[in-house]
Amino acid sequence: MTLKKTAAGLALLTMMITGAACSSAPKQAASPAPTAAASAAPQATAESQDAVNMKGYIAARIAEEKAEYLFAEAKSKDGGFILNPVAADSKEKAVKFLSNYYDAAMADKLAAHYLTDQTADGAIVTNKTSFFPTNLLDSKKEDITYDTANTKDQVKFTTKDGVTVTTKKVNDKFVLADIAKK
């Protein structure tokens, strides 16, 4: 019995010494002194215009994809296109959905172009004719010519088939502001 008490006491003493040694480690070891490399922390670099241009291009492609999702994906029982009921069931909800990808004026133009006065299966029938003069989803970045006057807040580019696209930054993200064949 004494041997068990001694072993238990020795184990307890060892754990206490180890715990004390760990908790009283020198403060310098925990937080080393700053070195020249650490004191010369890298400065936040400005985003290159090429990166901004790519963000504008991608935003335009996403915007077109969302318009197709909203207006040209869902079909009624008779096979005609209807406003996608998953995303919206009224013009107001369609414009609100689009405002995540288009500026306000463009969202209104798209809704006016696509939404008709007809209904089918309880949903608004949509116009079959595309609003877009080109299919950006089929374009490649190599087919795009960026405007040299682009800024961090506006990106304008032209497709190989002569369509000019303008995206602008709204609430810190790019949205489609204009698309037209020149």
Side-chain angles (χ1 to χ4, degrees):
M1 182 99 138
T2 319
L3 188 58
K4 286 183 181 177
K5 285 184 180 179
T6 305
L10 192 53
L12 184 60
L13 182 61
T14 304
M15 288 183 356
M16 288 174 26
I17 291 172
T18 305
C22 289
S23 66
S24 65
K27 298 287 184 204
Q28 291 178 348
S31 57
T35 62
S39 62
Q43 298 294 321
T45 57
E47 194 172 28
S48 74
Q49 189 60 49
D50 288 342
V52 172
N53 287 348
M54 186 55 65
K55 284 183 178 183
Y57 170 67
I58 291 169
R61 288 174 54 105
I62 290 171
E64 183 174 339
E65 181 180 44
K66 295 304 179 180
E68 284 188 12
Y69 167 74
L70 190 62
F71 300 118
E73 188 171 289
K75 291 186 176 184
S76 64
K77 290 177 188 168
D78 68 358
F81 288 115
I82 56 173
L83 180 62
N84 195 330
V86 173
D89 59 3
S90 67
K91 178 182 179 183
E92 294 76 24
K93 287 182 182 176
V95 170
K96 183 177 179 184
F97 176 85
L98 292 170
S99 68
N100 291 306
Y101 310 99
Y102 296 87
D103 74 353
M106 278 292 290
D108 285 335
K109 283 182 190 177
L110 258 81
H113 173 81
Y114 281 108
L115 298 177
T116 68
D117 294 334
Q118 302 169 348
T119 59
D121 302 336
I124 300 172
V125 173
T126 59
N127 184 354
K128 297 174 193 168
T129 307
S130 178
F131 176 85
F132 300 92
T134 191
N135 187 344
L136 292 175
L137 300 175
D138 290 339
S139 69
K140 296 180 181 142
K141 62 183 180 179
E142 297 82 25
D143 300 334
I144 302 299
T145 304
Y146 292 100
D147 193 318
T148 56
N150 285 348
T151 67
K152 65 181 179 83
D153 295 322
Q154 181 173 311
V155 173
K156 192 173 193 178
F157 60 88
T158 305
T159 64
K160 69 179 179 180
D161 53 348
V163 174
T164 302
V165 180
T166 305
T167 60
K168 67 180 183 180
K169 205 174 253 189
V170 174
N171 297 327
D172 208 31
K173 71 176 189 171
F174 280 97
V175 295
L176 188 59
D178 189 38
I179 185 167
K181 182 126 179 147
K182 302 289 180 183

